[in-house]
Amino acid sequence: MSEHTRAILLTACPDQPGVIARVSGFLADRAVNILEADQHTDPDERAFYMRLELDHSASNLNAASFDEAFAEIAGALSMTWRVDWRTKPKRLGVLVTKEGHCLADLIYRCASGEIDAQIPVVISNHESLKTAADSAGIPFRCIPVTKDNKAEAEREIDAVLTDHACDAVVLARYMQIMSPWFISRWQGRAINIHHSFLPAFAGARPYHQAHARGVKLIGATAHYVTEDLDQGPIIEQLTARVGHRDTVDDLIRKGRDLERVVLAEAVRNHVDNRVLISGNKTVVFD
Amino acid sequence: MSEHTRAILLTACPDQPGVIARVSGFLADRAVNILEADQHTDPDERAFYMRLELDHSASNLNAASFDEAFAEIAGALSMTWRVDWRTKPKRLGVLVTKEGHCLADLIYRCASGEIDAQIPVVISNHESLKTAADSAGIPFRCIPVTKDNKAEAEREIDAVLTDHACDAVVLARYMQIMSPWFISRWQGRAINIHHSFLPAFAGARPYHQAHARGVKLIGATAHYVTEDLDQGPIIEQLTARVGHRDTVDDLIRKGRDLERVVLAEAVRNHVDNRVLISGNKTVVFD
Amino acid sequence: MSEHTRAILLTACPDQPGVIARVSGFLADRAVNILEADQHTDPDERAFYMRLELDHSASNLNAASFDEAFAEIAGALSMTWRVDWRTKPKRLGVLVTKEGHCLADLIYRCASGEIDAQIPVVISNHESLKTAADSAGIPFRCIPVTKDNKAEAEREIDAVLTDHACDAVVLARYMQIMSPWFISRWQGRAINIHHSFLPAFAGARPYHQAHARGVKLIGATAHYVTEDLDQGPIIEQLTARVGHRDTVDDLIRKGRDLERVVLAEAVRNHVDNRVLISGNKTVVFD
Amino acid sequence: MSEHTRAILLTACPDQPGVIARVSGFLADRAVNILEADQHTDPDERAFYMRLELDHSASNLNAASFDEAFAEIAGALSMTWRVDWRTKPKRLGVLVTKEGHCLADLIYRCASGEIDAQIPVVISNHESLKTAADSAGIPFRCIPVTKDNKAEAEREIDAVLTDHACDAVVLARYMQIMSPWFISRWQGRAINIHHSFLPAFAGARPYHQAHARGVKLIGATAHYVTEDLDQGPIIEQLTARVGHRDTVDDLIRKGRDLERVVLAEAVRNHVDNRVLISGNKTVVFD
């Protein structure tokens, strides 16, 4: 079966009886086969979420005709939905400052196909990582940020991302706080890696905070960016063991491995349409 | 909603289009609501597995009428199925020898409701753990096993389990190899805990083997018992870090925590109808 | 070699050259053999910590003569020290409220010798866990706590612990905040289990907090009790994976396994003289 | 304190009383300060191992004079030893075939200083990873291996490693079995990454073996290369969770993260003189 006959359908609707029967019946009637199915009912939000991997090779349905056909059933169920027809890889703009380990890791995973995406541009407020982008053949844009030019810098970042037709933006250790304007522009499409096990050690210098507190585990957290700093919906977290012999530098070193893996996992799941936002939480169909 | 209006439907059939639509349509037509759904397609076995948690409070369907109604659709799909109407807790017979940590743990979890099951009887080839069973008010049967009485002992064990109406048997560090006869009697209903990360260190004294090999992690494995020793379908595994300072006794001590948790998790998932056997593997819908 | 010829020496002093040479020379001159040695230099505290397991079977040194002989060298190094001659098991008073999993676990580990300690008394502000203590043959004291009798209740708890010659007190899910008076009485000898990955979710109902925040890992933390609630030196921490399907009850259930293991590990290391407090952190020589 | 006044002393000798006192006394007499100390007694080998980080800034001892001075005490204790004066970074030759993730990772870590070593040359039996070496400015040598030229190829590899003054060789997914001749040349200095939790799934295609067996965890193992394939002393191991939904490709993908981290950790500890071989095991002072 060709990749081009596979699509991903994501749906969200109020919890109610018969949703699976209605949607799967609709698809079966149109000769669309369900390859993989995941559902989740959130009792607090009284919401029902579903992800379906579809094979439409035997069907007449396609990107052009699906929306009109599906609108009726979706309307009846008060359902929002989106379909990814996977005609081309997602495009990820990457924001960085000086720490290059997450950038190098994302470049490697996209190039090797582990993450099904391309990186059309790297943007930074410093020149430090220009070489890393250059040697991978990725355009690098340095957009310095100061107290005075912050709004202007963000508009420029937004323009560069838009020019490069980015589907999402990854803050791969970008050490600037984004404004509500920027965040609303990239709502649900901006992923940040925070170098602690949130909500512990939000804010600046989390490894220093962790060392001062004497924790026995450090962590990393990938989350969607929202207006509340380090408070957005968490996509992925991981911890690693540390001990009394570990200095702040050891924590930073051990943390880099967590950050790489946590960010990559979050980005991969986002790219594969496996993440749904439910209130201030995520549903991750992995 | 009462627990008594919830049921679990497990199905297995050849992979084919339209299964979800057929089954969910059947249920919707009869006012049975799907509360939770899990599916898995095994491409090697070309098999499709499904677990549905159902609310039948608004339906006329019940234990008496379901099978007849469902038989038609199941026949059309070449589907095998079972429904657990959850009218009473599962009954687990526990086999032990001298090590009591898994037994104590299972007793605690069943008593506290963490595992939705009862332990009507503990059977051992030694007297060592009689007190543990006694103080929990559980009948204890000592059935010694020697070279000469093995077949007879197993028939007695089987009879005791049957007398106590056991749904499944848990080998909670029972240090005897069961015969094909016994195993076939409890096919898919006998769970063993092996104190290593199988397939490493199968057979006797795995912690001694692990120490001699100098591994940096030890493990534990819960699996269904089959005729091939320590080769049955794996339900759950876990590992823990060890180092050069750890003696065999340290490995045994650290391993006990793995064994407790791994066995409890496997038993809990089995009891909750979350485990399906697919060839020599398991599908665990957790 | 008899257990009675082994002792543990713990030392703390300002960091300075020659400490190991001085102490090991002192011991070698007196025919005391070092079986195991651990050292740690804390650069922030400018302090040097050492733990030595000693075999004094060939030596004249003993509990009576050691202190006088060692005082000179300790004075020269500005060293504080303590020796555990291990003549009898440590005695642990356990405080509980209604949750019994940690209590049951500690009882099992002490009885089986996994933790080299005895539990002479269980104290609770409720009657719920009386049976658990009774069936293990451990005296149970119910000391209810109200707003009005808090100070008096604590004096009674302290008296009971003292009457039973307790070396340390374990707060095994004891849901009361201790007063500065009580805490100072048991400084460095009171271990609490908190059911979150501190410093995240300090205070009440941490699993509810964790569920509301949508974390992908939950944790447990064992720490020494200090005047600042949930802020004392951390001894041990562990995390476990959770997902969007997990309800608060699932978090509580998964958390119990963390709490059991984390508390047991902390208590075992404390009992074995493997934990030193350094400022608001711990050095754990494991 | 300058890095150039720090040295690492590693010792191994039969277990006997007074070793710490003798060695630490020797150092204190010569104004060498012990910054960090680790000891281990292996009861099976009846051997005592020690690692000391030394500050010799106030001492007359240096690389030239140490050996002669230390020889007397070492002779009396039947002690073997080595000192790393850390005058220059270690040099690591890296062998690869077609999989580039471990190579890319090692290059990044060495370049960023996370591993205190240089990679003077990359050698492969294929051309696939030439670009990876080129873009990092590292000489790449392709030495194809066939049935007929194996001995010759190994001599060439050995010559290239020697020409580049390599201290150690890292088999970073090099898919060739080395001969006893080569292995004896690099005894204790050749580190391999095996993509399974050894001793499970030794030999070829371990992820396929793991998938066929239906394990719930996969692993990776870094070990010293010995004549017995995949049987050498284990330096580091790690596992990660997999489930019934994971295909062989998923296992390979998840495994890459394990391999990167496990190999990097093993190489870092080797480079920092933290690994001692004790029979067929390792002592890792981390």
Side-chain angles (χ1 to χ4, degrees):
Chain A
M1 171 179 32
S2 159
E3 277 297 305
H4 292 100
T5 62
R6 299 181 72 156
I8 311 291
L9 171 61
L10 291 174
T11 72
C13 66
D15 190 24
Q16 57 197 297
V19 181
I20 297 176
R22 291 286 288 274
V23 174
S24 62
F26 170 90
L27 296 168
D29 289 350
R30 281 149 188 86
V32 177
N33 192 22
I34 298 173
L35 299 171
E36 201 182 306
D38 273 295
Q39 295 90 16
H40 175 62
T41 305
D42 186 321
D44 301 323
E45 305 275 330
R46 292 173 188 274
F48 177 81
Y49 302 95
M50 186 159 56
R51 179 186 187 273
L52 299 175
E53 283 198 29
L54 307 175
D55 171 16
H56 54 94
S57 56
S59 174
N60 293 325
L61 272 193
N62 56 32
S65 58
F66 184 90
D67 284 10
E68 198 183 325
F70 196 68
E72 191 187 354
I73 185 173
L77 296 165
S78 304
M79 180 180 273
T80 57
W81 85 93
R82 69 173 194 264
V83 191
D84 182 350
W85 297 94
R86 299 161 60 108
T87 46
K88 53 185 179 181
K90 290 278 196 316
R91 297 169 69 85
L92 307 172
V94 180
L95 299 190
V96 293
T97 295
K98 291 179 174 174
E99 293 271 359
H101 55 285
C102 286
L103 174 62
D105 186 71
L106 288 172
I107 290 173
Y108 185 87
R109 290 184 204 251
C110 289
S112 69
E114 189 177 302
I115 294 176
D116 186 22
Q118 295 174 343
I119 300 175
V121 65
V122 173
I123 304 172
S124 178
N125 53 334
H126 283 85
E127 292 283 353
S128 323
L129 296 173
K130 185 175 188 324
T131 314
D134 284 355
S135 73
I138 301 174
F140 178 86
R141 284 291 301 271
C142 183
I143 302 177
V145 181
T146 64
K147 261 188 186 169
D148 299 331
N149 82 336
K150 194 174 168 65
E152 191 187 340
E154 283 196 353
R155 279 195 301 275
E156 197 177 339
I157 293 169
D158 180 70
V160 172
L161 293 171
T162 306
D163 285 352
H164 284 88
C166 292
D167 299 291
V169 55
V170 181
L171 285 68
R173 300 296 308 270
Y174 182 64
M175 308 310 271
Q176 294 287 325
I177 298 171
M178 312 309 287
S179 74
W181 174 81
F182 185 90
I183 288 164
S184 73
R185 293 273 300 163
W186 293 89
Q187 189 86 41
R189 299 183 298 149
I191 297 172
N192 183 50
I193 179 75
H194 184 77
H195 37 316
S196 86
F197 179 71
L198 286 174
F201 312 129
R205 293 163 62 91
Y207 292 127
H208 290 77
Q209 292 183 55
H211 188 260
R213 182 62 188 90
V215 291
K216 300 298 185 187
L217 296 170
I218 54 167
T221 305
H223 62 94
Y224 286 111
V225 180
T226 59
E227 286 199 27
D228 300 310
L229 184 65
D230 299 334
Q231 303 279 315
I234 294 170
I235 310 169
E236 178 67 316
Q237 297 187 292
L238 217 57
T239 53
R241 199 145 196 87
V242 295
H244 60 265
R245 285 200 173 82
D246 288 303
T247 62
V248 170
D249 283 346
D250 291 324
L251 266 51
I252 291 171
R253 172 177 57 76
K254 292 186 175 182
R256 276 196 291 258
D257 279 328
L258 295 178
E259 296 164 36
R260 271 185 274 245
V261 172
V262 166
L263 181 58
E265 192 66 9
V267 169
R268 201 177 58 83
N269 279 324
H270 176 88
V271 163
D272 290 349
N273 301 289
R274 295 184 173 278
V275 191
L276 279 158
I277 296 176
S278 172
N280 199 42
K281 303 183 190 180
T282 61
V283 173
V284 182
F285 290 126
D286 56 356
Chain B
M1 171 179 34
S2 158
E3 278 295 307
H4 293 101
T5 62
R6 299 181 72 155
I8 311 292
L9 171 61
L10 290 173
T11 73
C13 65
D15 190 23
Q16 57 197 298
V19 180
I20 297 175
R22 291 285 288 273
V23 174
S24 61
F26 169 89
L27 296 168
D29 290 349
R30 282 150 189 86
V32 177
N33 192 22
I34 298 174
L35 299 170
E36 202 182 304
D38 273 296
Q39 296 89 16
H40 175 62
T41 305
D42 185 322
D44 301 324
E45 304 276 330
R46 293 171 187 275
F48 177 81
Y49 302 96
M50 186 158 57
R51 178 186 187 274
L52 300 175
E53 283 198 27
L54 307 175
D55 170 16
H56 54 93
S57 56
S59 174
N60 293 324
L61 271 193
N62 55 33
S65 58
F66 185 89
D67 284 11
E68 197 182 327
F70 196 69
E72 190 188 357
I73 186 173
L77 296 165
S78 304
M79 179 180 274
T80 58
W81 85 93
R82 70 171 193 264
V83 190
D84 183 349
W85 297 93
R86 298 160 62 105
T87 45
K88 52 184 179 182
K90 291 276 199 315
R91 298 170 69 83
L92 307 173
V94 179
L95 299 190
V96 294
T97 296
K98 291 180 175 173
E99 294 271 359
H101 56 286
C102 286
L103 173 62
D105 186 72
L106 288 173
I107 289 174
Y108 186 87
R109 291 182 203 252
C110 289
S112 68
E114 189 176 303
I115 294 177
D116 186 22
Q118 296 174 342
I119 301 176
V121 65
V122 173
I123 304 171
S124 178
N125 53 334
H126 284 85
E127 291 283 353
S128 324
L129 297 173
K130 184 175 188 324
T131 315
D134 285 353
S135 72
I138 301 174
F140 179 86
R141 283 293 300 272
C142 182
I143 303 177
V145 181
T146 63
K147 260 188 188 168
D148 298 332
N149 82 335
K150 195 175 168 66
E152 191 187 339
E154 283 195 353
R155 278 195 303 274
E156 197 177 339
I157 294 170
D158 181 69
V160 173
L161 293 171
T162 305
D163 286 351
H164 284 87
C166 292
D167 299 292
V169 55
V170 181
L171 285 69
R173 301 296 308 270
Y174 182 64
M175 309 311 271
Q176 293 288 327
I177 299 172
M178 311 309 287
S179 74
W181 174 81
F182 185 90
I183 288 164
S184 74
R185 294 271 302 161
W186 293 90
Q187 189 86 39
R189 300 182 298 149
I191 298 173
N192 183 50
I193 179 73
H194 185 77
H195 37 314
S196 86
F197 179 69
L198 288 175
F201 311 129
R205 293 163 61 92
Y207 292 125
H208 290 79
Q209 292 183 55
H211 188 260
R213 182 60 187 90
V215 290
K216 300 298 184 186
L217 295 171
I218 55 167
T221 304
H223 63 93
Y224 287 111
V225 180
T226 59
E227 286 200 26
D228 300 310
L229 183 66
D230 299 333
Q231 304 278 314
I234 293 170
I235 309 170
E236 179 65 315
Q237 297 187 292
L238 217 58
T239 53
R241 198 143 199 87
V242 295
H244 59 265
R245 284 198 174 83
D246 289 304
T247 61
V248 170
D249 283 345
D250 291 322
L251 266 51
I252 291 171
R253 173 177 57 78
K254 292 187 175 184
R256 276 195 291 257
D257 279 327
L258 296 177
E259 294 164 36
R260 272 185 274 244
V261 172
V262 165
L263 181 58
E265 191 67 9
V267 168
R268 202 178 56 84
N269 279 324
H270 176 87
V271 162
D272 290 348
N273 301 289
R274 295 184 173 279
V275 191
L276 280 158
I277 296 177
S278 173
N280 199 41
K281 303 182 189 180
T282 62
V283 173
V284 182
F285 289 126
D286 56 356
Chain C
M1 171 179 32
S2 158
E3 278 296 306
H4 292 100
T5 60
R6 298 181 73 156
I8 310 291
L9 172 61
L10 291 173
T11 73
C13 65
D15 191 23
Q16 57 197 299
V19 180
I20 297 175
R22 290 285 289 273
V23 174
S24 62
F26 169 89
L27 296 168
D29 290 349
R30 281 149 189 86
V32 178
N33 192 21
I34 299 173
L35 299 170
E36 201 184 306
D38 273 295
Q39 296 89 17
H40 175 62
T41 304
D42 186 320
D44 301 323
E45 305 275 330
R46 293 172 189 274
F48 177 82
Y49 302 95
M50 186 158 58
R51 179 186 187 274
L52 300 176
E53 284 198 27
L54 306 176
D55 170 16
H56 54 93
S57 56
S59 173
N60 293 325
L61 272 194
N62 56 33
S65 58
F66 185 89
D67 284 11
E68 197 183 327
F70 197 68
E72 190 188 356
I73 186 173
L77 295 166
S78 304
M79 179 180 272
T80 58
W81 85 93
R82 71 171 193 261
V83 191
D84 182 349
W85 298 93
R86 300 161 60 106
T87 45
K88 52 184 180 183
K90 289 278 198 314
R91 296 169 71 82
L92 307 172
V94 180
L95 299 190
V96 294
T97 295
K98 290 178 176 176
E99 293 271 359
H101 55 286
C102 286
L103 174 63
D105 187 72
L106 288 173
I107 289 173
Y108 185 87
R109 290 184 204 252
C110 289
S112 70
E114 190 176 300
I115 293 177
D116 185 21
Q118 296 174 343
I119 301 176
V121 65
V122 173
I123 305 171
S124 178
N125 54 333
H126 284 84
E127 291 283 352
S128 324
L129 297 174
K130 184 175 188 323
T131 314
D134 284 354
S135 74
I138 301 174
F140 178 86
R141 283 291 301 272
C142 182
I143 303 176
V145 181
T146 64
K147 260 189 187 167
D148 299 330
N149 82 337
K150 194 174 168 65
E152 191 187 340
E154 283 196 352
R155 278 195 303 274
E156 196 177 340
I157 294 169
D158 181 70
V160 172
L161 293 171
T162 306
D163 286 351
H164 284 87
C166 293
D167 299 292
V169 55
V170 181
L171 285 68
R173 301 295 309 270
Y174 182 63
M175 309 311 270
Q176 294 287 327
I177 298 171
M178 311 310 287
S179 74
W181 174 81
F182 185 90
I183 288 164
S184 72
R185 293 270 302 162
W186 293 89
Q187 188 86 41
R189 299 183 297 149
I191 297 173
N192 183 51
I193 179 74
H194 184 78
H195 37 315
S196 86
F197 179 70
L198 288 175
F201 311 128
R205 293 164 61 93
Y207 292 126
H208 290 78
Q209 293 184 53
H211 189 260
R213 181 61 188 90
V215 290
K216 299 298 183 185
L217 296 171
I218 54 166
T221 305
H223 62 92
Y224 286 111
V225 180
T226 60
E227 286 198 26
D228 300 310
L229 185 65
D230 298 335
Q231 303 279 314
I234 294 170
I235 310 170
E236 179 66 316
Q237 296 186 292
L238 217 57
T239 53
R241 199 147 197 86
V242 296
H244 59 264
R245 284 198 175 83
D246 289 304
T247 62
V248 171
D249 283 345
D250 291 323
L251 268 49
I252 290 171
R253 174 177 56 77
K254 292 186 176 184
R256 276 196 290 258
D257 279 328
L258 296 178
E259 296 164 37
R260 270 185 274 246
V261 172
V262 165
L263 181 58
E265 191 68 9
V267 169
R268 203 177 56 82
N269 279 324
H270 176 87
V271 162
D272 290 349
N273 300 289
R274 295 184 172 280
V275 190
L276 280 158
I277 297 176
S278 172
N280 198 42
K281 302 183 189 179
T282 62
V283 172
V284 182
F285 290 126
D286 56 356
Chain D
M1 171 179 33
S2 158
E3 277 296 305
H4 292 100
T5 62
R6 298 180 73 156
I8 310 291
L9 171 61
L10 291 172
T11 72
C13 65
D15 190 23
Q16 58 198 298
V19 180
I20 298 175
R22 291 285 288 273
V23 174
S24 62
F26 170 89
L27 296 168
D29 290 349
R30 281 151 189 87
V32 177
N33 191 21
I34 298 173
L35 299 170
E36 202 184 303
D38 273 296
Q39 295 89 17
H40 175 61
T41 304
D42 185 322
D44 301 324
E45 304 275 330
R46 294 171 187 275
F48 177 81
Y49 302 95
M50 186 159 58
R51 179 186 186 273
L52 300 175
E53 283 198 27
L54 307 176
D55 171 15
H56 54 92
S57 56
S59 173
N60 293 325
L61 271 194
N62 57 32
S65 58
F66 185 89
D67 284 11
E68 197 182 328
F70 196 69
E72 191 188 355
I73 186 174
L77 296 165
S78 305
M79 179 181 272
T80 58
W81 86 92
R82 70 171 194 262
V83 191
D84 183 348
W85 297 92
R86 300 162 59 107
T87 45
K88 52 183 181 184
K90 291 276 198 316
R91 297 169 69 84
L92 306 172
V94 180
L95 300 190
V96 293
T97 296
K98 290 179 176 174
E99 292 272 359
H101 56 286
C102 285
L103 174 63
D105 186 72
L106 288 172
I107 290 174
Y108 185 87
R109 291 183 203 251
C110 289
S112 68
E114 190 176 301
I115 293 176
D116 185 22
Q118 296 174 342
I119 301 176
V121 65
V122 173
I123 305 172
S124 177
N125 54 333
H126 283 85
E127 292 283 352
S128 323
L129 296 174
K130 185 177 188 319
T131 314
D134 285 354
S135 73
I138 301 174
F140 178 86
R141 285 291 301 273
C142 182
I143 303 176
V145 180
T146 64
K147 259 188 187 168
D148 298 332
N149 83 336
K150 194 174 168 66
E152 193 187 339
E154 282 196 353
R155 278 195 302 274
E156 197 177 338
I157 293 170
D158 180 71
V160 172
L161 293 171
T162 306
D163 286 353
H164 284 87
C166 292
D167 299 293
V169 56
V170 181
L171 285 69
R173 301 294 309 269
Y174 182 64
M175 309 309 272
Q176 293 287 327
I177 298 171
M178 311 309 288
S179 73
W181 173 81
F182 185 90
I183 288 164
S184 73
R185 294 272 301 162
W186 294 89
Q187 188 86 41
R189 299 182 299 149
I191 296 172
N192 183 50
I193 180 74
H194 184 77
H195 37 316
S196 86
F197 179 72
L198 288 175
F201 311 128
R205 294 164 60 94
Y207 291 126
H208 290 77
Q209 292 183 55
H211 188 260
R213 180 62 187 88
V215 290
K216 300 298 183 185
L217 296 170
I218 54 166
T221 305
H223 63 93
Y224 287 111
V225 180
T226 59
E227 287 198 26
D228 300 310
L229 184 66
D230 299 333
Q231 304 278 315
I234 293 169
I235 309 170
E236 179 66 315
Q237 296 187 293
L238 218 56
T239 53
R241 198 142 197 89
V242 296
H244 59 265
R245 285 199 173 83
D246 289 303
T247 62
V248 170
D249 283 345
D250 291 323
L251 267 50
I252 291 171
R253 173 177 57 77
K254 293 188 175 182
R256 277 195 291 258
D257 279 328
L258 295 178
E259 296 165 35
R260 272 186 273 245
V261 172
V262 166
L263 181 58
E265 191 66 10
V267 169
R268 202 178 57 83
N269 279 324
H270 177 88
V271 161
D272 290 349
N273 301 289
R274 295 184 173 279
V275 192
L276 280 158
I277 297 177
S278 173
N280 198 42
K281 302 183 189 180
T282 61
V283 173
V284 181
F285 289 125
D286 56 355

